[in-house]
């Protein structure tokens, strides 16, 4: 599993993020505090506090590099 921190704090960003994530096979979760949702679900993301950074868990290690490259605009540098 690969984890990265992302910011998707607007409707436009959520739509773009979900469109990119849906291009990849595998399981992707967004985590905020105790809440965990499917990162491919727009409605799930709206249930999170998007005003704060979210943690993206990528469960397909083989495609993790491609996914992080594709969503680089959303990643918060450490």
């Amino acid at each position: 599993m690969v984890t990265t921190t992302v910011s998707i704090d607007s409707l436009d960003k959520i739509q773009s993020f979900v469109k990119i994530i849906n291009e990849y096979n595998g399981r992707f979760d967004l985590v905020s505090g105790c809440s965990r949702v499917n990162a491919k679900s727009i409605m799930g993301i709206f249930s999170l506090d998007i005003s704060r950074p979210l943690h993206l868990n990528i469960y397909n290690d083989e495609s993790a590099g491609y996914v992080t490259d594709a969503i680089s605009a959303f990643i918060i540098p450490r």
Side-chain angles (χ1 to χ4, degrees):
M1 177 178 74
V2 175
T3 300
T4 189
T5 304
V6 296
S7 174
I8 47 176
D9 56 1
S10 71
L11 175 60
D12 291 338
K13 287 182 180 181
I14 291 171
Q15 290 174 329
S16 296
F17 179 85
V18 170
K19 182 178 179 183
I20 293 168
I21 288 294
N22 275 300
E23 293 176 8
Y24 296 92
N25 292 324
R27 181 175 155 205
F28 305 91
D29 289 342
L30 282 169
V31 180
S32 176
C34 295
S35 300
R36 176 182 310 268
V37 298
N38 182 343
K40 294 182 176 187
S41 168
I42 289 176
M43 294 304 291
I45 295 171
F46 277 120
S47 71
L48 300 174
D49 179 5
I50 61 170
S51 67
R52 300 175 56 146
L54 304 170
H55 299 287
L56 173 66
N57 294 335
I58 303 169
Y59 294 96
N60 184 346
D61 291 339
E62 293 175 7
S63 65
Y66 299 110
V67 174
T68 54
D69 286 346
I71 62 164
S72 62
F74 303 98
I75 294 177
I76 299 172
R78 294 181 188 206

